[in-house]
mmCIF file of all heavy atoms in Angstrom:
data_model
loop_
_atom_site.group_PDB
_atom_site.id
_atom_site.type_symbol
_atom_site.label_atom_id
_atom_site.label_comp_id
_atom_site.label_asym_id
_atom_site.label_seq_id
_atom_site.Cartn_x
_atom_site.Cartn_y
_atom_site.Cartn_z
ATOM 1 N N SER A 240 28.664 -7.372 22.590
ATOM 2 C CA SER A 240 29.627 -8.222 23.138
ATOM 3 C C SER A 240 29.041 -9.565 23.592
ATOM 4 O O SER A 240 29.595 -10.661 23.471
ATOM 5 C CB SER A 240 30.180 -7.663 24.398
ATOM 6 O OG SER A 240 30.907 -6.494 24.080
ATOM 7 N N ARG A 241 27.797 -9.572 24.084
ATOM 8 C CA ARG A 241 27.084 -10.791 24.366
ATOM 9 C C ARG A 241 26.947 -11.715 23.219
ATOM 10 O O ARG A 241 26.978 -12.897 23.366
ATOM 11 C CB ARG A 241 25.673 -10.471 24.930
ATOM 12 C CG ARG A 241 25.725 -9.657 26.199
ATOM 13 C CD ARG A 241 24.309 -9.301 26.708
ATOM 14 N NE ARG A 241 23.717 -10.411 27.327
ATOM 15 C CZ ARG A 241 22.561 -10.381 28.006
ATOM 16 N NH1 ARG A 241 21.819 -9.251 28.011
ATOM 17 N NH2 ARG A 241 22.015 -11.393 28.625
ATOM 18 N N ARG A 249 36.048 -11.621 21.347
ATOM 19 C CA ARG A 249 36.077 -10.371 22.437
ATOM 20 C C ARG A 249 36.109 -9.231 21.614
ATOM 21 O O ARG A 249 36.857 -9.011 20.674
ATOM 22 C CB ARG A 249 37.225 -10.623 23.310
ATOM 23 C CG ARG A 249 37.047 -11.760 24.236
ATOM 24 C CD ARG A 249 38.376 -11.989 25.034
ATOM 25 N NE ARG A 249 38.412 -11.072 26.237
ATOM 26 C CZ ARG A 249 39.580 -10.392 26.494
ATOM 27 N NH1 ARG A 249 40.679 -10.610 25.866
ATOM 28 N NH2 ARG A 249 39.545 -9.557 27.518
ATOM 29 N N LEU A 250 35.474 -8.217 21.991
ATOM 30 C CA LEU A 250 35.375 -6.919 21.209
ATOM 31 C C LEU A 250 35.925 -5.751 21.846
ATOM 32 O O LEU A 250 36.128 -5.703 23.206
ATOM 33 C CB LEU A 250 33.872 -6.671 21.000
ATOM 34 C CG LEU A 250 33.043 -7.625 20.218
ATOM 35 C CD1 LEU A 250 31.502 -7.125 20.029
ATOM 36 C CD2 LEU A 250 33.639 -8.063 18.938
ATOM 37 N N PRO A 251 36.369 -4.721 21.100
ATOM 38 C CA PRO A 251 36.841 -3.457 21.706
ATOM 39 C C PRO A 251 35.717 -2.596 22.203
ATOM 40 O O PRO A 251 35.545 -1.485 21.761
ATOM 41 C CB PRO A 251 37.747 -2.860 20.595
ATOM 42 C CG PRO A 251 37.031 -3.366 19.346
ATOM 43 C CD PRO A 251 36.487 -4.764 19.633
ATOM 44 N N ILE A 252 34.843 -3.205 22.966
ATOM 45 C CA ILE A 252 33.602 -2.424 23.355
ATOM 46 C C ILE A 252 33.262 -2.712 24.740
ATOM 47 O O ILE A 252 33.393 -3.806 25.333
ATOM 48 C CB ILE A 252 32.449 -2.979 22.372
ATOM 49 C CG1 ILE A 252 32.625 -2.469 20.977
ATOM 50 C CG2 ILE A 252 30.973 -2.625 23.014
ATOM 51 C CD1 ILE A 252 31.514 -2.980 20.078
ATOM 52 N N GLU A 253 32.619 -1.695 25.420
ATOM 53 C CA GLU A 253 32.079 -1.908 26.759
ATOM 54 C C GLU A 253 30.611 -1.348 26.660
ATOM 55 O O GLU A 253 30.406 -0.462 25.954
ATOM 56 C CB GLU A 253 32.720 -1.001 27.833
ATOM 57 C CG GLU A 253 34.076 -1.590 28.369
ATOM 58 C CD GLU A 253 34.757 -0.655 29.348
ATOM 59 O OE1 GLU A 253 34.160 0.415 29.834
ATOM 60 O OE2 GLU A 253 35.922 -0.933 29.758
ATOM 61 N N SER A 254 29.700 -1.996 27.398
ATOM 62 C CA SER A 254 28.368 -1.518 27.303
ATOM 63 C C SER A 254 28.142 -0.696 28.525
ATOM 64 O O SER A 254 28.384 -0.983 29.641
ATOM 65 C CB SER A 254 27.415 -2.768 27.366
ATOM 66 O OG SER A 254 27.514 -3.503 26.124
ATOM 67 N N GLY A 298 28.591 5.799 33.365
ATOM 68 C CA GLY A 298 30.010 5.787 33.552
ATOM 69 C C GLY A 298 30.613 4.444 33.842
ATOM 70 O O GLY A 298 31.776 4.260 33.975
ATOM 71 N N TYR A 299 29.813 3.421 34.112
ATOM 72 C CA TYR A 299 30.243 2.146 34.470
ATOM 73 C C TYR A 299 29.523 1.065 33.588
ATOM 74 O O TYR A 299 28.460 1.395 33.158
ATOM 75 C CB TYR A 299 30.004 1.791 36.029
ATOM 76 C CG TYR A 299 28.686 2.235 36.383
ATOM 77 C CD1 TYR A 299 27.558 1.504 36.220
ATOM 78 C CD2 TYR A 299 28.559 3.523 37.098
ATOM 79 C CE1 TYR A 299 26.287 1.970 36.590
ATOM 80 C CE2 TYR A 299 27.291 3.985 37.482
ATOM 81 C CZ TYR A 299 26.220 3.197 37.260
ATOM 82 O OH TYR A 299 24.939 3.605 37.651
ATOM 83 N N ASN A 300 30.165 -0.059 33.364
ATOM 84 C CA ASN A 300 29.562 -1.083 32.589
ATOM 85 C C ASN A 300 28.085 -1.378 33.126
ATOM 86 O O ASN A 300 27.956 -1.553 34.249
ATOM 87 C CB ASN A 300 30.317 -2.349 32.663
ATOM 88 C CG ASN A 300 31.628 -2.289 31.892
ATOM 89 O OD1 ASN A 300 32.353 -1.275 31.958
ATOM 90 N ND2 ASN A 300 31.973 -3.322 31.202
ATOM 91 N N SER A 301 27.171 -1.547 32.174
ATOM 92 C CA SER A 301 25.830 -1.758 32.564
ATOM 93 C C SER A 301 24.895 -2.402 31.450
ATOM 94 O O SER A 301 25.131 -2.031 30.307
ATOM 95 C CB SER A 301 25.132 -0.506 33.069
ATOM 96 O OG SER A 301 23.753 -0.709 33.327
ATOM 97 N N TYR A 302 24.231 -3.280 31.856
ATOM 98 C CA TYR A 302 23.180 -3.788 30.855
ATOM 99 C C TYR A 302 21.765 -3.497 31.410
ATOM 100 O O TYR A 302 20.813 -4.310 31.137
ATOM 101 C CB TYR A 302 23.372 -5.276 30.718
ATOM 102 C CG TYR A 302 24.500 -5.716 29.750
ATOM 103 C CD1 TYR A 302 25.752 -5.932 30.300
ATOM 104 C CD2 TYR A 302 24.350 -5.682 28.366
ATOM 105 C CE1 TYR A 302 26.898 -6.291 29.522
ATOM 106 C CE2 TYR A 302 25.481 -6.050 27.592
ATOM 107 C CZ TYR A 302 26.728 -6.383 28.150
ATOM 108 O OH TYR A 302 27.716 -6.649 27.306
ATOM 109 N N ALA A 303 21.586 -2.609 32.378
ATOM 110 C CA ALA A 303 20.339 -2.588 33.180
ATOM 111 C C ALA A 303 19.289 -1.733 32.547
ATOM 112 O O ALA A 303 18.066 -1.799 32.977
ATOM 113 C CB ALA A 303 20.620 -2.068 34.550
ATOM 114 N N ARG A 305 18.496 1.194 32.967
ATOM 115 C CA ARG A 305 18.211 2.258 33.788
ATOM 116 C C ARG A 305 19.395 2.737 34.554
ATOM 117 O O ARG A 305 20.369 1.943 34.756
ATOM 118 C CB ARG A 305 17.097 1.796 34.780
ATOM 119 C CG ARG A 305 17.628 0.738 35.728
ATOM 120 C CD ARG A 305 16.557 0.288 36.713
ATOM 121 N NE ARG A 305 16.988 -0.912 37.372
ATOM 122 C CZ ARG A 305 17.965 -1.029 38.251
ATOM 123 N NH1 ARG A 305 18.562 0.043 38.693
ATOM 124 N NH2 ARG A 305 18.279 -2.256 38.857
ATOM 125 N N MET A 342 36.329 1.611 22.040
ATOM 126 C CA MET A 342 37.585 2.004 22.630
ATOM 127 C C MET A 342 38.014 3.328 22.123
ATOM 128 O O MET A 342 38.874 3.971 22.794
ATOM 129 C CB MET A 342 38.614 0.991 22.474
ATOM 130 C CG MET A 342 38.397 -0.174 23.407
ATOM 131 S SD MET A 342 38.818 0.265 25.084
ATOM 132 C CE MET A 342 38.067 -1.097 25.875
ATOM 133 N N PHE A 398 42.728 -0.911 16.048
ATOM 134 C CA PHE A 398 43.285 -0.868 17.339
ATOM 135 C C PHE A 398 44.763 -1.511 17.416
ATOM 136 O O PHE A 398 45.579 -0.936 18.106
ATOM 137 C CB PHE A 398 42.405 -1.577 18.357
ATOM 138 C CG PHE A 398 41.016 -0.806 18.363
ATOM 139 C CD1 PHE A 398 39.959 -1.444 17.624
ATOM 140 C CD2 PHE A 398 40.792 0.333 18.989
ATOM 141 C CE1 PHE A 398 38.760 -0.822 17.593
ATOM 142 C CE2 PHE A 398 39.561 0.985 18.981
ATOM 143 C CZ PHE A 398 38.506 0.342 18.222
ATOM 144 N N MET A 403 43.356 4.462 15.287
ATOM 145 C CA MET A 403 42.149 4.821 16.014
ATOM 146 C C MET A 403 41.516 6.084 15.507
ATOM 147 O O MET A 403 42.282 6.957 14.984
ATOM 148 C CB MET A 403 42.458 5.063 17.559
ATOM 149 C CG MET A 403 42.447 3.867 18.331
ATOM 150 S SD MET A 403 43.826 2.743 18.076
ATOM 151 C CE MET A 403 45.010 3.576 19.040
ATOM 152 N N ASN A 411 41.836 4.962 25.067
ATOM 153 C CA ASN A 411 41.020 3.755 25.205
ATOM 154 C C ASN A 411 40.140 3.682 26.402
ATOM 155 O O ASN A 411 40.253 2.659 27.085
ATOM 156 C CB ASN A 411 41.980 2.500 25.048
ATOM 157 C CG ASN A 411 42.895 2.557 26.195
ATOM 158 O OD1 ASN A 411 43.245 3.437 26.883
ATOM 159 N ND2 ASN A 411 43.622 1.345 26.352
ATOM 160 N N GLN A 412 39.398 4.681 26.665
ATOM 161 C CA GLN A 412 38.609 4.663 27.945
ATOM 162 C C GLN A 412 37.128 4.915 27.505
ATOM 163 O O GLN A 412 36.749 6.126 27.387
ATOM 164 C CB GLN A 412 39.157 5.786 28.839
ATOM 165 C CG GLN A 412 38.570 5.862 30.261
ATOM 166 C CD GLN A 412 38.792 4.588 31.019
ATOM 167 O OE1 GLN A 412 39.914 3.951 30.908
ATOM 168 N NE2 GLN A 412 37.876 4.061 31.834
ATOM 169 N N ASN A 414 34.205 5.133 28.631
ATOM 170 C CA ASN A 414 33.225 5.977 29.371
ATOM 171 C C ASN A 414 33.527 7.491 29.186
ATOM 172 O O ASN A 414 32.778 8.331 29.575
ATOM 173 C CB ASN A 414 33.059 5.574 30.834
ATOM 174 C CG ASN A 414 34.360 5.720 31.655
ATOM 175 O OD1 ASN A 414 35.398 5.903 30.989
ATOM 176 N ND2 ASN A 414 34.324 5.499 32.883
ATOM 177 N N MET B 1 24.310 4.501 43.981
ATOM 178 C CA MET B 1 25.092 3.320 44.284
ATOM 179 C C MET B 1 26.109 3.506 45.440
ATOM 180 O O MET B 1 26.671 4.528 45.443
ATOM 181 C CB MET B 1 25.763 2.971 42.980
ATOM 182 C CG MET B 1 25.830 1.488 42.787
ATOM 183 S SD MET B 1 26.038 1.098 41.024
ATOM 184 C CE MET B 1 27.584 1.862 40.588
ATOM 185 N N TYR B 18 35.625 5.604 37.637
ATOM 186 C CA TYR B 18 35.571 4.185 37.062
ATOM 187 C C TYR B 18 36.656 3.885 36.085
ATOM 188 O O TYR B 18 36.793 4.710 35.154
ATOM 189 C CB TYR B 18 34.201 3.952 36.477
ATOM 190 C CG TYR B 18 34.026 2.515 35.995
ATOM 191 C CD1 TYR B 18 33.687 1.587 36.778
ATOM 192 C CD2 TYR B 18 34.084 2.304 34.611
ATOM 193 C CE1 TYR B 18 33.368 0.250 36.337
ATOM 194 C CE2 TYR B 18 33.858 1.082 34.097
ATOM 195 C CZ TYR B 18 33.448 0.024 34.975
ATOM 196 O OH TYR B 18 33.223 -1.153 34.422
ATOM 197 N N LYS B 19 37.302 2.801 36.256
ATOM 198 C CA LYS B 19 38.428 2.490 35.222
ATOM 199 C C LYS B 19 38.023 1.321 34.248
ATOM 200 O O LYS B 19 38.316 1.382 33.169
ATOM 201 C CB LYS B 19 39.680 2.166 35.993
ATOM 202 C CG LYS B 19 40.872 1.791 35.097
ATOM 203 C CD LYS B 19 41.361 2.972 34.247
ATOM 204 C CE LYS B 19 42.330 2.500 33.266
ATOM 205 N NZ LYS B 19 42.577 3.617 32.235
ATOM 206 N N ARG B 23 40.894 -6.949 35.190
ATOM 207 C CA ARG B 23 42.087 -7.688 34.531
ATOM 208 C C ARG B 23 43.172 -6.681 34.168
ATOM 209 O O ARG B 23 44.283 -7.052 33.873
ATOM 210 C CB ARG B 23 41.657 -8.283 33.229
ATOM 211 C CG ARG B 23 40.780 -9.432 33.334
ATOM 212 C CD ARG B 23 41.103 -10.332 32.181
ATOM 213 N NE ARG B 23 39.939 -11.119 31.801
ATOM 214 C CZ ARG B 23 40.003 -11.978 30.753
ATOM 215 N NH1 ARG B 23 40.990 -11.985 29.890
ATOM 216 N NH2 ARG B 23 38.903 -12.694 30.452
ATOM 217 N N ASP B 41 45.430 -6.719 23.100
ATOM 218 C CA ASP B 41 44.422 -7.357 23.885
ATOM 219 C C ASP B 41 44.183 -6.560 25.171
ATOM 220 O O ASP B 41 43.048 -6.132 25.531
ATOM 221 C CB ASP B 41 44.876 -8.718 24.156
ATOM 222 C CG ASP B 41 43.722 -9.602 24.759
ATOM 223 O OD1 ASP B 41 43.341 -9.311 25.808
ATOM 224 O OD2 ASP B 41 43.226 -10.512 24.141
ATOM 225 N N GLY B 43 44.987 -3.466 25.942
ATOM 226 C CA GLY B 43 44.545 -2.089 25.843
ATOM 227 C C GLY B 43 43.129 -2.010 25.317
ATOM 228 O O GLY B 43 42.391 -1.029 25.567
ATOM 229 N N TYR B 44 42.691 -2.897 24.405
ATOM 230 C CA TYR B 44 41.518 -2.640 23.608
ATOM 231 C C TYR B 44 40.454 -3.680 23.773
ATOM 232 O O TYR B 44 39.291 -3.416 23.344
ATOM 233 C CB TYR B 44 41.938 -2.452 22.189
ATOM 234 C CG TYR B 44 42.829 -1.373 22.104
ATOM 235 C CD1 TYR B 44 44.203 -1.441 21.673
ATOM 236 C CD2 TYR B 44 42.389 0.048 22.229
ATOM 237 C CE1 TYR B 44 45.053 -0.392 21.527
ATOM 238 C CE2 TYR B 44 43.209 1.072 22.097
ATOM 239 C CZ TYR B 44 44.512 0.867 21.711
ATOM 240 O OH TYR B 44 45.449 1.933 21.597
ATOM 241 N N LEU B 45 40.718 -4.953 24.161
ATOM 242 C CA LEU B 45 39.592 -5.916 24.102
ATOM 243 C C LEU B 45 39.059 -6.197 25.514
ATOM 244 O O LEU B 45 39.813 -6.194 26.489
ATOM 245 C CB LEU B 45 40.139 -7.208 23.531
ATOM 246 C CG LEU B 45 40.615 -7.162 22.120
ATOM 247 C CD1 LEU B 45 41.018 -8.572 21.536
ATOM 248 C CD2 LEU B 45 39.626 -6.519 21.144
ATOM 249 N N ARG B 46 37.758 -6.340 25.696
ATOM 250 C CA ARG B 46 37.153 -6.472 26.937
ATOM 251 C C ARG B 46 36.213 -7.667 26.954
ATOM 252 O O ARG B 46 35.399 -7.851 25.900
ATOM 253 C CB ARG B 46 36.350 -5.228 27.380
ATOM 254 C CG ARG B 46 37.316 -3.944 27.519
ATOM 255 C CD ARG B 46 38.256 -4.075 28.722
ATOM 256 N NE ARG B 46 39.029 -2.917 28.778
ATOM 257 C CZ ARG B 46 40.282 -2.771 28.356
ATOM 258 N NH1 ARG B 46 40.881 -3.878 27.820
ATOM 259 N NH2 ARG B 46 41.018 -1.715 28.550
ATOM 260 N N ASP B 47 35.991 -8.271 28.117
ATOM 261 C CA ASP B 47 34.958 -9.397 28.127
ATOM 262 C C ASP B 47 33.614 -8.750 28.055
ATOM 263 O O ASP B 47 32.565 -9.337 27.462
ATOM 264 C CB ASP B 47 35.108 -10.209 29.442
ATOM 265 C CG ASP B 47 36.264 -11.215 29.304
ATOM 266 O OD1 ASP B 47 36.730 -11.360 28.216
ATOM 267 O OD2 ASP B 47 36.624 -11.771 30.402
ATOM 268 N N ASN B 48 33.288 -7.671 28.865
ATOM 269 C CA ASN B 48 32.033 -6.958 28.799
ATOM 270 C C ASN B 48 30.868 -7.865 29.118
ATOM 271 O O ASN B 48 29.856 -7.855 28.373
ATOM 272 C CB ASN B 48 31.983 -6.332 27.410
ATOM 273 C CG ASN B 48 30.836 -5.216 27.419
ATOM 274 O OD1 ASN B 48 30.357 -4.780 28.483
ATOM 275 N ND2 ASN B 48 30.355 -4.998 26.247
ATOM 276 N N PRO B 49 30.909 -8.597 30.202
ATOM 277 C CA PRO B 49 29.827 -9.565 30.545
ATOM 278 C C PRO B 49 28.563 -8.860 31.010
ATOM 279 O O PRO B 49 28.562 -7.800 31.582
ATOM 280 C CB PRO B 49 30.373 -10.469 31.616
ATOM 281 C CG PRO B 49 31.364 -9.516 32.386
ATOM 282 C CD PRO B 49 31.885 -8.528 31.329
ATOM 283 N N ALA B 50 27.371 -9.533 30.765
ATOM 284 C CA ALA B 50 26.102 -9.230 31.380
ATOM 285 C C ALA B 50 26.014 -10.074 32.580
ATOM 286 O O ALA B 50 25.775 -11.360 32.459
ATOM 287 C CB ALA B 50 25.015 -9.503 30.423
ATOM 288 N N HIS B 53 30.711 -8.714 37.301
ATOM 289 C CA HIS B 53 31.945 -8.063 36.609
ATOM 290 C C HIS B 53 32.822 -7.599 37.734
ATOM 291 O O HIS B 53 32.401 -6.819 38.684
ATOM 292 C CB HIS B 53 31.449 -6.852 35.791
ATOM 293 C CG HIS B 53 32.412 -6.149 34.952
ATOM 294 N ND1 HIS B 53 32.596 -4.867 34.858
ATOM 295 C CD2 HIS B 53 33.304 -6.728 34.061
ATOM 296 C CE1 HIS B 53 33.528 -4.577 34.016
ATOM 297 N NE2 HIS B 53 33.941 -5.697 33.524
ATOM 298 N N TRP B 57 37.701 0.615 40.581
ATOM 299 C CA TRP B 57 37.197 1.974 40.974
ATOM 300 C C TRP B 57 38.257 2.664 41.706
ATOM 301 O O TRP B 57 38.829 2.089 42.619
ATOM 302 C CB TRP B 57 35.965 1.852 41.726
ATOM 303 C CG TRP B 57 34.754 1.291 41.109
ATOM 304 C CD1 TRP B 57 34.525 0.015 40.673
ATOM 305 C CD2 TRP B 57 33.532 2.071 40.711
ATOM 306 N NE1 TRP B 57 33.279 -0.124 40.139
ATOM 307 C CE2 TRP B 57 32.721 1.171 40.103
ATOM 308 C CE3 TRP B 57 33.243 3.384 40.722
ATOM 309 C CZ2 TRP B 57 31.409 1.534 39.495
ATOM 310 C CZ3 TRP B 57 31.891 3.742 40.350
ATOM 311 C CH2 TRP B 57 31.010 2.851 39.650
ATOM 312 N N ARG B 71 30.484 -6.518 40.825
ATOM 313 C CA ARG B 71 29.027 -5.874 40.675
ATOM 314 C C ARG B 71 28.347 -6.630 39.594
ATOM 315 O O ARG B 71 28.896 -7.007 38.582
ATOM 316 C CB ARG B 71 29.294 -4.518 40.269
ATOM 317 C CG ARG B 71 28.090 -3.555 40.269
ATOM 318 C CD ARG B 71 28.433 -2.116 39.985
ATOM 319 N NE ARG B 71 29.126 -2.079 38.702
ATOM 320 C CZ ARG B 71 28.578 -1.832 37.570
ATOM 321 N NH1 ARG B 71 27.334 -1.592 37.401
ATOM 322 N NH2 ARG B 71 29.241 -1.894 36.376
ATOM 323 N N THR B 73 26.229 -6.385 36.357
ATOM 324 C CA THR B 73 26.028 -5.345 35.345
ATOM 325 C C THR B 73 24.500 -5.383 34.926
ATOM 326 O O THR B 73 24.089 -4.388 34.238
ATOM 327 C CB THR B 73 26.892 -5.453 34.127
ATOM 328 O OG1 THR B 73 26.577 -6.673 33.537
ATOM 329 C CG2 THR B 73 28.326 -5.283 34.557
ATOM 330 N N THR B 74 23.750 -6.327 35.348
ATOM 331 C CA THR B 74 22.368 -6.257 34.994
ATOM 332 C C THR B 74 21.398 -5.740 36.056
ATOM 333 O O THR B 74 20.292 -5.328 35.781
ATOM 334 C CB THR B 74 21.764 -7.725 34.686
ATOM 335 O OG1 THR B 74 21.914 -8.486 35.787
ATOM 336 C CG2 THR B 74 22.603 -8.278 33.562
ATOM 337 N N THR B 75 21.919 -5.588 37.328
ATOM 338 C CA THR B 75 21.134 -5.102 38.414
ATOM 339 C C THR B 75 21.877 -3.999 39.167
ATOM 340 O O THR B 75 21.321 -3.241 39.929
ATOM 341 C CB THR B 75 20.859 -6.181 39.466
ATOM 342 O OG1 THR B 75 22.148 -6.695 39.982
ATOM 343 C CG2 THR B 75 20.124 -7.326 38.935
ATOM 344 N N HIS B 76 23.184 -3.757 38.901
ATOM 345 C CA HIS B 76 24.046 -2.758 39.603
ATOM 346 C C HIS B 76 24.303 -3.249 41.079
ATOM 347 O O HIS B 76 24.845 -2.486 41.811
ATOM 348 C CB HIS B 76 23.513 -1.395 39.633
ATOM 349 C CG HIS B 76 23.318 -0.859 38.236
ATOM 350 N ND1 HIS B 76 22.389 0.163 37.920
ATOM 351 C CD2 HIS B 76 23.918 -1.140 37.015
ATOM 352 C CE1 HIS B 76 22.459 0.389 36.594
ATOM 353 N NE2 HIS B 76 23.338 -0.275 36.059
#
Side-chain angles (χ1 to χ4, degrees):
Chain A
S240 297
R241 296 178 79 174
R249 292 172 77 222
L250 302 180
I252 288 175
E253 283 179 6
S254 294
Y299 41 80
N300 288 39
S301 175
Y302 285 93
R305 63 180 165 74
M342 283 287 164
F398 302 99
M403 273 73 79
N411 58 345
Q412 189 63 36
N414 59 357
Chain B
M1 220 155 61
Y18 180 81
K19 179 68 189 168
R23 286 212 210 179
D41 191 293
Y44 300 109
L45 300 184
R46 299 289 179 264
D47 284 348
N48 192 21
H53 189 226
W57 292 73
R71 190 178 55 93
T73 59
T74 60
T75 62
H76 301 155

